[in-house]
Amino acid sequence: MEDAQSIRTTGFIRYRYAMFLDRYGRSGDAESILNELLAHEEDLDYETYLAVQDALGARVPGTS
């Protein structure tokens, strides 16, 4: 079983991969990965969670 840090690192790597796909014209694939990450937000560290939200153009409740 993976430890919590390993799972968080995997989430960040998947986020970066999604950004790579988006940059090279595969925004649909990128969006799918980002949505999958948000579906398991408890496995993300806070910074990655915010980056995923930002990439999808979503706002975090309670922020300006």
Side-chain angles (χ1 to χ4, degrees), residues 19-58:
M19 295 297 89
F20 169 83
L21 292 175
D22 188 56
R23 182 175 185 172
Y24 289 97
R26 294 180 56 192
S27 59
D29 293 329
E31 188 172 345
S32 293
I33 291 169
L34 295 171
N35 283 320
E36 178 68 22
L37 286 170
L38 283 185
H40 301 283
E41 67 183 75
E42 68 279 357
D43 295 332
L44 299 175
D45 62 80
Y46 188 65
E47 290 80 13
T48 303
Y49 172 77
L50 291 178
V52 170
Q53 287 278 350
D54 186 52
L56 287 172

